[in-house]
Amino acid sequence: MADRLFDATERAQLSDLLDELGPDAPTLLAPWTTLDLAAHLVLRERSYLAGPGLVLPGAWSRFAERQRRALALRDFAGLTATMRSGPPPGFFRIRWVRRFPNLNEFFVHHEDVRRANGRGPRTNEHAMDEALWRNVTLAPWFLARRLRGAGLELQWAGTAKTVRARRGEPTARIAGPPGELLLYLFGRQGAAHVQVSGPAAAVEAVQRARFGM
């Protein structure tokens, strides 16, 4: 499993789905459509100048958004073909980048399209779930950094595997398959199929918190 790069599978399946749905289908990132999302994914890998602005605030973020909008004026089929062709030479071909940020990026955005178009949770092969769980455990504290007034544990449902995302009392627990936990941590709480349990105050704190980048 350690040598398998599941980002390639997610990239290919997302490319297929974008081609199937076309440029005007909804995503969980409303008002973004599938065209907007395709432009975002191409910009992320192909523009080293604008790419950091996808996560950094301020003027850099505004510059990246202008670049993304310009890309969205291009032919949709060309954007999906570029995305399907794989990461360009350089940073995005590094194996740890493919295993961690790229797998997260393509898995979450694949679900952004799937769930917004009436498709429910997938049943992943165990090796894929292991890869997603590894990513859940790597930096959950960062994605949960805005949680206030409670601690947080994450559990791979049906197993004894848990990880502490944030220290504090009272403590809530979110349980679900690894992919669903990842969706929750990336701010897709309304779409993620998980169970939140614990003291009422902790559950309330989790439910009102803003997760994600």
Side-chain angles (χ1 to χ4, degrees):
M1 190 273 289
D3 292 326
R4 294 185 63 182
L5 297 171
F6 290 99
D7 68 310
T9 302
E10 291 299 302
R11 180 193 296 271
Q13 291 180 355
L14 175 55
S15 299
D16 288 345
L17 185 57
L18 292 175
D19 285 339
E20 174 190 338
L21 295 174
D24 300 317
T27 73
L28 293 182
L29 303 173
W32 274 16
T33 65
T34 41
L35 173 61
D36 296 303
L37 183 57
H40 163 82
L41 289 167
V42 170
L43 181 72
R44 174 180 175 269
E45 292 186 326
R46 304 277 166 168
S47 174
Y48 286 111
L49 184 59
L54 300 177
V55 293
L56 297 176
W60 212 335
S61 176
R62 293 189 292 272
F63 170 72
E65 178 59 13
R66 289 194 298 271
Q67 296 297 105
R68 189 197 63 77
R69 289 180 178 176
L71 267 181
L73 297 175
R74 295 189 184 179
D75 175 61
F76 181 68
L79 289 173
T80 60
T82 298
M83 192 178 78
R84 186 189 296 278
S85 68
F91 177 76
F92 289 103
R93 289 193 184 179
I94 298 171
R95 292 182 75 84
W96 77 262
V97 175
R98 294 188 59 186
R99 289 194 182 104
F100 183 36
N102 257 24
L103 176 55
N104 289 351
E105 183 82 3
F106 281 97
F107 177 84
V108 170
H109 285 319
H110 189 185
E111 292 304 316
D112 284 335
V113 178
R114 293 184 72 260
R115 309 271 171 122
N117 289 278
R119 309 188 189 198
R122 289 178 279 169
T123 300
N124 299 314
E125 61 174 297
H126 185 72
M128 173 66 161
D129 275 340
E130 287 280 7
L132 293 172
W133 174 251
R134 179 195 62 230
N135 288 0
V136 165
T137 66
L138 283 178
W141 57 268
F142 178 73
L143 297 173
R145 68 192 181 279
R146 300 182 189 91
L147 174 61
R148 298 289 184 270
L152 180 62
E153 292 179 346
L154 306 171
Q155 179 182 18
W156 180 347
T159 78
K161 294 183 178 181
T162 63
V163 63
R164 179 173 289 276
R166 191 167 182 85
R167 296 189 179 279
E169 293 295 338
T171 298
R173 171 172 289 189
I174 303 175
E180 302 302 310
L181 295 173
L182 201 64
L183 289 177
Y184 200 101
L185 288 173
F186 271 90
R188 277 66 168 180
Q189 293 98 311
H193 288 236
V194 300
Q195 289 187 332
V196 184
S197 61
V203 170
E204 182 182 350
V206 168
Q207 291 175 339
R208 69 170 178 257
R210 183 165 68 90
F211 289 83
M213 299 295 290

